[in-house]
Amino acid sequence: MTPPAGDQEMSEGKASEGTWGLPLLAVVPTVCLTALTDPSTVWYVIAWVFWGLSAVLLAVGWTEVVRRGARGATGWTTCAIAHGVIGWQLVHLLT
């Protein structure tokens, strides 16, 4: 069953799981660097740069949610995963 045309138009601009997928992709190198290796100072700097990029992308995602709303439960699940991974990585980088 397809939604009426009006509902489809309203949901097209809303934030979905793709909104939170990009910050997760940006933090993957950071997680790999710090979890799988014993990084040097240069690697920690690179890890912080990727973490910062991911944090900026999360802020952009929240801007989309505030402006247009969220589309569904899968978007919120991906949002929770993204925030959890980035929070875990922040704790890992600070310790």
Side-chain angles (χ1 to χ4, degrees):
M1 184 168 162
T2 59
D7 290 343
Q8 190 176 18
E9 288 175 11
M10 289 175 45
S11 68
E12 283 181 10
K14 292 188 175 187
S16 64
E17 59 274 358
T19 305
W20 308 110
L22 197 55
L24 277 172
L25 288 175
V27 83
V28 166
T30 306
V31 172
C32 290
L33 282 173
T34 57
L36 302 176
T37 65
D38 189 21
S40 64
T41 305
V42 173
W43 288 116
Y44 271 117
V45 170
I46 292 170
W48 275 109
V49 168
F50 277 108
W51 186 90
L53 173 65
S54 191
V56 168
L57 291 171
L58 276 180
V60 169
W62 274 111
T63 304
E64 284 293 311
V65 169
V66 168
R67 286 185 182 169
R68 298 183 179 154
R71 192 176 330 172
T74 57
W76 289 115
T77 304
T78 311
C79 171
I81 292 169
H83 283 78
V85 168
I86 290 171
W88 170 79
Q89 188 59 32
L90 175 65
V91 169
H92 188 73
L93 285 172
L94 290 174
T95 57

